[in-house]
Amino acid sequence: MEKYHGCGNSFIITAYDKKYENREFIKNICYDVDGFMMVKTNPLEMVLYNKDTSLAPMCGNGIRCFIQYCYNHNIINENENTVKTPSGNIYTRIINKNPFLVYVGLNEEYYTYIDNKEYTKKTYIINDTKYEISLVNSGVWHGIVIPTDFEKALIDMIILREYPEFQEWLNIDIVKIENNNIFVKTLERGVGYTKACGTGVSATYHILKKLNIITTNEIDIYTEGGKITAGKDDSPYIIGPSEFIEHIYLGNMDE
């Protein structure tokens, strides 16, 4: 087993083995990481569990780490690879190996909410503050918030995240725009606040474009863990790093 991170979003990765599909094992091994990932082959497939042991449909940072693990273990031999995930097949391309950078072609975003309505601005009042949340699915569902008080929003969004309509599926991204730089902090389902979230960066790009806050087809978005590039040509994409951290040994349960 090995530990990797993508912009600080960290994962333990290993080859698929059914014995690891154990909630208690996953919970224990994720005590200091964001997720546990297994690699299936023929076809190449990413199986990712969140810290709370829920199965993640997709992760933009995780899939870059997945690709680096596969490259390091000779599971893949080409720069371009398609990875099966619960949210569909994801195209990836290694664009640099030192530092390790991966282009991730995401599936087309969509905005239709579970009640078949599109919400670019859905309003909530929390602790006497009005928040407008814009919903988009960039592989998983995200709610984008651009608050006037960023630090207060970090606290209030924990409350919003627990609303019954959001509990099972929504990630929330709090956006700060300062000196033409865009910074985002993601409250991720099953994890909590993370240092970075690839699909959250992509979701932020889509909403800022939809609200005409940005007009370019590609932007750099900053997270606590580093910079991720987001854009859209024929389809949405992100470009970001992955880094190997260390080997993990589990005694009798290890490979």
Side-chain angles (χ1 to χ4, degrees):
M1 291 190 180
E2 294 173 354
K3 185 187 291 187
Y4 290 76
H5 81 89
C7 288
N9 204 192
S10 56
F11 308 90
I12 291 175
I13 310 177
T14 189
Y16 178 81
D17 193 318
K18 191 172 179 60
K19 71 184 178 185
Y20 297 134
E21 290 187 326
N22 178 291
R23 291 177 65 90
E24 206 55 43
F25 169 77
I26 294 168
K27 189 180 295 184
N28 289 336
I29 204 169
C30 288
Y31 74 95
D32 68 341
V33 298
D34 296 300
F36 173 66
M37 189 184 302
M38 291 190 285
V39 179
K40 285 186 175 181
T41 57
N42 300 316
L44 190 63
E45 180 178 353
M46 179 176 75
V47 180
L48 172 60
Y49 289 93
N50 291 319
K51 200 182 186 93
D52 70 348
T53 75
S54 62
L55 193 63
M58 173 48 191
C59 177
N61 291 321
I63 202 167
R64 299 196 310 272
C65 297
F66 176 94
I67 288 296
Q68 187 179 16
Y69 176 94
C70 291
Y71 174 80
N72 288 346
H73 289 266
N74 298 311
I75 296 169
I76 56 175
N77 300 306
E78 306 291 337
N79 287 336
E80 297 185 43
N81 295 274
T82 298
V83 181
K84 182 180 178 183
T85 76
S87 67
N89 291 330
I90 304 298
Y91 167 80
T92 67
R93 183 173 75 248
I94 300 170
I95 59 176
N96 198 63
K97 292 170 183 171
N98 188 23
F100 204 88
L101 291 173
V102 182
Y103 171 106
V104 180
L106 301 172
N107 293 325
E108 197 74 17
E109 80 280 5
Y110 61 92
Y111 303 88
T112 305
Y113 190 46
I114 53 175
D115 55 4
N116 293 320
K117 294 180 182 177
E118 181 179 311
Y119 289 102
T120 303
K121 290 182 179 179
K122 191 172 174 68
T123 303
Y124 295 88
I125 296 176
I126 303 172
N127 290 331
D128 298 322
T129 300
K130 177 181 172 182
Y131 293 100
E132 291 179 335
I133 181 168
S134 299
L135 304 177
V136 59
N137 191 306
S138 57
V140 294
W141 276 104
H142 284 268
I144 310 302
V145 178
I146 310 171
T148 54
D149 187 334
F150 182 81
E151 297 301 325
K152 184 176 188 297
L154 292 178
I155 298 169
D156 290 346
M157 289 306 102
I158 295 173
I159 297 171
L160 180 66
R161 175 68 187 75
E162 294 303 315
Y163 279 26
E165 64 183 297
F166 294 144
Q167 266 189 5
E168 298 300 321
W169 55 273
L170 188 72
N171 306 289
I172 298 176
D173 306 276
I174 302 98
V175 179
K176 178 166 63 175
I177 303 173
E178 195 172 71
N179 299 324
N180 293 320
N181 289 322
I182 300 167
F183 176 85
V184 63
K185 183 78 172 173
T186 300
L187 180 59
E188 191 170 343
R189 176 184 69 88
V191 179
Y193 278 114
T194 65
K195 291 189 175 180
C197 175
T199 57
V201 164
S202 181
T204 299
Y205 164 83
H206 291 308
I207 293 300
L208 294 182
K209 195 81 184 286
K210 194 172 181 66
L211 296 176
N212 293 315
I213 294 173
I214 61 169
T215 56
T216 58
N217 290 330
E218 182 179 280
I219 58 171
D220 291 333
I221 295 181
Y222 294 87
T223 70
E224 185 181 337
K227 180 185 76 174
I228 300 174
T229 300
K232 186 174 182 179
D233 40 36
D234 294 334
S235 62
Y237 63 88
I238 56 173
I239 299 170
S242 168
E243 184 177 342
F244 167 80
I245 302 174
E246 63 181 345
H247 294 281
I248 304 293
Y249 298 100
L250 300 177
N252 292 335
M253 280 200 76
D254 210 355
E255 306 165 287

